[in-house]
Amino acid sequence: MRIIAGNRRGLKLIAPKGLDTRPTEDRVKESVFNILGQNFFGDIVLDLFCGSGANGIEFISRGAEKAYFVDKSKEAIVCVKKNLDKAKFSDQAFVIEDHLNQALKNLDVKFDYIYMDPPFDRRDLYKKAFKLVKEYKILKEDGKLIVEYNTDKPLLIGEGFVELKNKKYGNTSISICGWDENESNICG
């Protein structure tokens, strides 16, 4: 696992040990960033269910101003901090060890991008995350929600969101979502 592009291109990252974390494959990450674009200067991103933090770190390497990393796993948080130190990005990062609801409730930030990669077998977390992003209005009006999920289990897009693009990479699929413009005052 490595940083694909940007000012830390090629830097190898570590992943938490065990089966609870499934790092995004480099080929999937590279394709996602080919879709989103190459530069994210001044953007603020959220790496939700961050695991190793590789997705948020990729955003910073490509110019994001700040990245927030959220995971409830102590092992994941330790790993994220090591990867941020290795990449020398600690000053651009906020690392939060907490459960989904509490972490999002306490955020007083609107994000340009939210990368969401819960454990594939926890479909309840997808539904809950969509609901909380909408409830706490943490995605900017023109923001993008990138969702990684198991290709074999269709993603149920949360109310208030629309799918803008979908790509399949073997057993991993990526859905890029935005606010449903037909819903009024979604972003408040």
Side-chain angles (χ1 to χ4, degrees), residues 53-137:
N55 295 312
I57 290 171
E58 186 74 34
F59 274 103
I60 298 173
S61 181
R62 294 171 185 246
E65 181 180 326
K66 294 213 177 294
Y68 289 69
F69 299 84
V70 173
D71 206 300
K72 71 173 188 166
S73 162
K74 184 170 212 54
E75 293 80 16
I77 295 301
V78 167
C79 185
V80 170
K81 289 178 178 179
K82 286 180 181 176
N83 284 331
L84 287 165
D85 285 344
K86 187 174 184 181
K88 297 182 178 25
F89 286 152
S90 295
D91 60 334
Q92 292 174 263
F94 296 93
V95 181
I96 303 163
E97 180 184 347
D98 209 340
H99 291 273
L100 176 65
N101 188 34
Q102 198 59 41
L104 297 189
K105 181 180 181 181
N106 292 332
L107 287 173
D108 188 22
V109 180
K110 287 195 183 242
F111 296 98
D112 297 285
Y113 296 93
I114 298 174
Y115 199 110
M116 182 169 83
D117 184 13
F120 277 179
D121 61 341
R122 292 289 313 272
R123 296 188 43 86
D124 59 308
L125 291 176
Y126 289 89
K127 183 178 180 180
K128 188 174 184 180
F130 271 112
K131 180 181 175 286
L132 293 172
V133 167
K134 179 181 177 184
E135 182 178 333
Y136 298 130
K137 300 174 181 169

Side-chain angles (χ1 to χ4, degrees), residues 9 12 19 34-35 37 39-40 46-47 81-82 93 99 110-111 114-115 125 127 156 166 173 175:
R9 180 180 184 206
K12 292 188 179 188
L19 300 175
N34 284 340
I35 294 167
N39 300 310
F40 300 90
L46 171 60
D47 190 346
K81 289 178 178 179
K82 286 180 181 176
H99 291 273
K110 287 195 183 242
F111 296 98
I114 298 174
Y115 199 110
L125 291 176
K127 183 178 180 180
L156 299 174
N166 185 286
S173 286
S175 179

Side-chain angles (χ1 to χ4, degrees), residues 28-60:
V28 174
K29 188 169 29 168
E30 187 169 14
S31 182
V32 167
F33 282 92
N34 284 340
I35 294 167
L36 295 176
Q38 298 302 312
N39 300 310
F40 300 90
F41 299 113
D43 289 338
I44 300 173
V45 302
L46 171 60
D47 190 346
L48 193 53
F49 310 100
C50 65
S52 68
N55 295 312
I57 290 171
E58 186 74 34
F59 274 103
I60 298 173

